[in-house]
Amino acid sequence: VVAQLTGLRFFIEPESFFKPPPINYNPRYRQFIQDCAVLIPALISFFMKTDLTINSWRENAFFICLLIFVVFLPFSEALVSIAAGILLFQALALSSWKHPSVPHGSVHDLLLILSVFLVYLIGMVFTKDISFAFYELKKVIFWLVIPVAFFISPHLDRKRFTAVTAVFCLSVFLASLVATGRMLFSEQMAMNGFRSIFPVSHIRFSFQLILAMILTAWLSRSSFFASARTRKWLVALLLWFLVFLFLLKSITGIIAFLGTVYLMLIIVAFRRKRWQVRFAWLLLMVLLAVVPLLYVGKVWHDFYSIQEPDPDTIERFTPSGNPYSHNFSSREKENGHWVNLYICEKELRQEWNEISSIKYDEPDGSGYTCSGTLIRYLTGKGLRKDSTGVSLLTPEDVSAIEKGIANHIFAGHPFSLYPRIYETIWEYDRYSYSGNPNDQSFSQRIEFVKASLLLIRENPLFGIGTGNWKLAYAETYKKMNSQLRAENMGPSHNQFLNYLVKFGIAGFLFIVTVLLIPVFRGGHRRNLLFILFLIFIGFANFGDANLETHMGLSFFCFFYSLFLWHSPEEVKETRF
């Protein structure tokens, strides 16, 4: 594509650009291949500002592998695995070639990082399920692959470090554009649910967005982007990342971002000498804390602002004279209205069957009975569940109900955070009165945390070991009399609790220590990029077990190793 654009063929003959290449290589296609053969090495040489000699191939190979990794990171889990393998292969295959060495003594830092994997190996002493233990080892193999690849590879200079961070930000930007397009045309592309628009986990992608924001802010101040126009584009990119993070509606990612910003503001505020500046920073901190709380409070108020029904005065008949059904013992609610009041199934069935191709007693797009979705939808709009209520539904409402959308706030609001917060409150409310957490993300997490705390109390020092969590959690849920179905039983979505459950207090403290020691010993106390990266990962690990997922661990190991061993001196001396 680059060769075609460079040769101006797209602009001269745009129709030929989109034609598939012929089977027999005609002169035009042969010329295209020749252009690629000449242009690609030229671009690499120009971009890296180096001659393609035998002495520079070592550095070039490492640099190109880093670019491949960051390009794949927002797009494909499988390609990230391949990129990690390529990264290690080039490091091992070319390790005997001359290159700038890593700082003296840092081999101890490498051994400390690799010892995290050793903890999993030691944990196998206690395993009761050897096959699942090996599966866990395979999941965390990035603790070995990526740090070793970075350690024995040449040290990146400032230009290449900047290039890797810039390409990562560009890749995240392109992935966000792809996701936006899928979001806007989700119906035409037959995508079910918001999360299906992302090629990788939306939670893990939110972490990439946060790091992209940090790196974009740093790039906008870097001397490599001296022109005012370039910096304006970087600021615009930063704002897009911020907006898209909230469009993504990942509660874990948003909390990690806000927590990082809040902690950074505290540090900045207390480093200011003038009291007026310190007061302004503190005021900003208060606003940053209060505004999200007020927003969540509004959603909470909308959900719970409900009056208790009076059985003596409540209406008993519909305008058509048919009796209503009232269940006063039910605590189910939608948008401040009781779900199981004012229901006349006779009128609902008759009126709905006349306006919809999906009948009242048939399953809707979500697989649940259409009647239940219809009743909840009418309740959320403040309508009674009778023929009058159904007659007030718009064609858009009917379409949403047929798809299985049970509340109008989830229909037609793909960019709003309100529905995501509402969903969490709804799940908590349903769990609080029924005790049933199944098929509800937030409610299931509460059960996971309860089970994790019980396991930690029973195995406080060394934990349950590697490969045992399925058996241990199953027994614990049985002790708790949990209503969780077997297929929904799982460990805590909290990395710190997971380490405490598997390896106990001793293992948890060891892992945290061996990850922090290289940071301080490597002179990164003022490395703003590294510190912010660790802070937001720390907040993120309260909301998910990121270091035991494929994309979460590969992302962490890659940038941890990059910042630890390849941060330029300019970055290591960045001040708040």
Side-chain angles (χ1 to χ4, degrees):
V1 173
V2 173
Q4 287 277 19
L5 293 176
T6 306
L8 298 178
R9 293 185 180 86
F10 174 69
F11 300 99
I12 298 172
E13 299 173 310
E15 67 279 278
S16 66
F17 181 83
F18 296 99
K19 289 182 180 179
I23 297 177
N24 54 335
Y25 292 91
N26 64 22
R28 178 175 295 169
Y29 188 62
R30 188 181 298 110
Q31 183 61 43
F32 170 74
I33 298 298
Q34 293 173 356
D35 287 346
C36 290
V38 174
L39 182 64
I40 291 176
L43 286 174
I44 294 173
S45 179
F46 174 78
F47 187 62
M48 296 187 294
K49 305 291 186 182
T50 183
D51 296 327
L52 296 179
T53 63
I54 190 70
N55 294 326
S56 64
W57 271 109
R58 179 72 177 100
E59 289 79 7
N60 295 341
F62 177 51
F63 177 59
I64 293 172
C65 288
L66 295 181
L67 295 181
I68 291 172
F69 192 100
V70 295
V71 166
F72 288 162
L73 196 57
F75 289 101
S76 172
E77 185 173 308
L79 291 178
V80 165
S81 295
I82 295 172
I86 295 173
L87 189 64
L88 180 62
F89 175 78
Q90 66 81 30
L92 295 174
L94 306 176
S95 59
S96 62
W97 292 22
K98 292 182 179 180
H99 63 79
S101 61
V102 293
H104 177 69
S106 59
V107 66
H108 301 295
D109 295 336
L110 175 65
L111 294 176
L112 285 174
I113 298 168
L114 298 185
S115 65
V116 176
F117 189 80
L118 181 63
V119 173
Y120 283 87
L121 286 177
I122 295 174
M124 291 187 69
V125 173
F126 308 100
T127 189
K128 299 176 183 177
D129 187 344
I130 191 68
S131 62
F132 194 75
F134 278 110
Y135 169 74
E136 285 206 69
L137 288 179
K138 185 175 70 172
K139 284 202 308 181
V140 296
I141 196 66
F142 286 117
W143 284 117
L144 298 180
V145 173
I146 294 178
V148 168
F150 270 89
F151 183 80
I152 63 178
S153 293
H155 187 72
L156 286 178
D157 58 24
R158 183 183 170 192
K159 293 179 181 178
R160 290 178 178 173
F161 178 89
T162 304
V164 171
T165 58
V167 171
F168 169 72
C169 294
L170 179 60
S171 183
V172 173
F173 172 66
L174 293 176
S176 69
L177 292 183
V178 172
T180 302
R182 290 182 173 183
M183 190 186 306
L184 293 173
F185 300 100
S186 57
E187 291 190 14
Q188 292 84 343
M189 301 176 72
M191 291 187 173
N192 297 321
F194 176 80
R195 297 176 182 178
S196 64
I197 67 174
F198 298 97
V200 298
S201 164
H202 75 293
I203 296 177
R204 251 59 70 184
F205 185 69
S206 70
F207 304 155
Q208 296 180 30
L209 277 171
I210 296 172
L211 181 59
M213 278 190 276
I214 295 171
L215 293 175
T216 303
W218 172 73
L219 290 171
S220 67
R221 299 177 57 190
S222 174
S223 59
F224 281 97
F225 300 95
S227 71
R229 183 176 182 181
T230 303
R231 290 180 176 176
K232 288 180 181 179
W233 280 109
L234 288 172
V235 171
L237 182 62
L238 175 61
L239 294 175
W240 166 252
F241 286 148
L242 178 61
V243 170
F244 193 81
L245 177 65
F246 285 88
L247 296 182
L248 192 60
K249 295 185 279 191
S250 168
I251 299 299
T252 302
I254 292 172
I255 292 176
F257 170 74
L258 294 178
T260 303
V261 172
Y262 198 77
L263 190 57
M264 187 179 69
L265 288 178
I266 292 176
I267 297 173
V268 171
F270 282 97
R271 288 192 175 185
R272 303 300 97 180
K273 294 182 178 180
R274 296 178 57 187
W275 71 267
Q276 297 93 335
V277 178
R278 185 179 297 181
F279 176 78
W281 280 105
L282 291 174
L283 181 61
L284 182 60
M285 290 163 51
V286 172
L287 290 175
L288 188 64
V290 170
V291 170
L293 291 176
L294 289 176
Y295 190 73
V296 173
K298 180 184 184 308
V299 185
W300 183 279
H301 178 267
D302 292 345
F303 187 88
Y304 281 107
S305 59
I306 189 170
Q307 293 183 346
E308 290 291 335
D310 186 351
D312 297 326
T313 60
I314 195 169
E315 293 183 44
R316 300 288 180 177
F317 297 95
T318 71
S320 301
N322 294 305
Y324 278 125
S325 170
H326 301 295
N327 184 353
F328 297 104
S329 63
S330 171
R331 309 307 298 170
E332 193 174 354
K333 56 187 77 71
E334 292 281 352
N335 265 12
H337 304 282
W338 297 107
V339 173
N340 291 303
L341 299 182
Y342 298 106
I343 298 177
C344 180
E345 289 213 66
K346 177 182 177 181
E347 294 185 10
L348 282 177
R349 181 178 287 103
Q350 180 179 351
E351 192 74 19
W352 177 256
N353 288 345
E354 291 180 0
I355 64 173
S356 173
S357 59
I358 300 179
K359 302 307 178 184
Y360 184 78
D361 298 302
E362 294 177 352
D364 56 30
S366 66
Y368 294 98
T369 306
C370 190
S371 58
T373 305
L374 173 62
I375 289 173
R376 284 182 57 193
Y377 197 96
L378 289 167
T379 303
K381 295 200 73 171
L383 301 174
R384 295 188 177 183
K385 282 72 76 175
D386 55 20
S387 58
T388 303
V390 176
S391 67
L392 295 175
L393 294 175
T394 66
E396 291 76 18
D397 292 329
V398 174
S399 176
I401 295 169
E402 291 175 340
K403 294 175 184 175
I405 300 174
N407 195 307
H408 70 282
I409 68 171
F410 297 112
H413 301 89
F415 302 111
S416 174
L417 191 60
Y418 189 102
R420 184 67 185 88
I421 300 173
Y422 178 92
E423 181 183 13
T424 301
I425 295 174
W426 182 87
E427 289 182 1
Y428 170 76
D429 177 75
R430 191 177 183 88
Y431 175 69
S432 64
Y433 67 74
S434 69
N436 184 3
N438 288 293
D439 304 320
Q440 301 168 31
S441 175
F442 183 72
S443 303
Q444 289 181 175
R445 287 177 181 234
I446 296 175
E447 287 287 283
F448 297 161
V449 170
K450 288 180 178 179
S452 299
L453 294 176
L454 184 57
L455 281 170
I456 293 169
R457 189 163 65 243
E458 293 175 350
N459 308 272
L461 191 56
F462 298 111
I464 62 175
T466 304
N468 292 328
W469 72 259
K470 276 195 172 182
L471 297 173
Y473 272 93
E475 294 175 2
T476 304
Y477 288 127
K478 188 175 181 179
K479 291 179 185 177
M480 294 167 52
N481 294 319
S482 174
Q483 297 184 38
L484 269 175
R485 294 192 294 268
E487 63 269 21
N488 292 332
M489 292 180 179
S492 170
H493 284 215
N494 181 307
Q495 188 60 67
F496 304 117
L497 288 180
N498 269 22
Y499 280 152
L500 286 167
V501 168
K502 291 180 179 179
F503 311 123
I505 297 174
F508 169 74
L509 293 178
F510 178 82
I511 292 173
V512 173
T513 302
V514 300
L515 289 178
L516 290 180
I517 286 177
V519 177
F520 292 99
R521 192 160 62 182
H524 295 281
R525 293 177 179 84
R526 295 180 178 177
N527 189 335
L528 182 59
L529 295 183
F530 203 178
I531 292 171
L532 291 179
F533 172 74
L534 294 175
I535 288 174
F536 93 73
I537 286 293
F539 278 109
N541 282 342
F542 280 105
D544 213 339
N546 301 295
L547 303 188
E548 293 180 308
T549 65
H550 181 286
M551 295 301 290
L553 183 57
S554 59
F555 169 75
F556 175 79
C557 287
F558 182 89
F559 284 101
Y560 179 90
S561 302
L562 179 69
F563 293 141
L564 180 64
W565 287 312
H566 299 276
S567 290
E569 289 302 318
E570 174 196 356
V571 175
K572 294 174 71 172
E573 294 298 324
T574 304
R575 293 180 178 271
F576 283 92

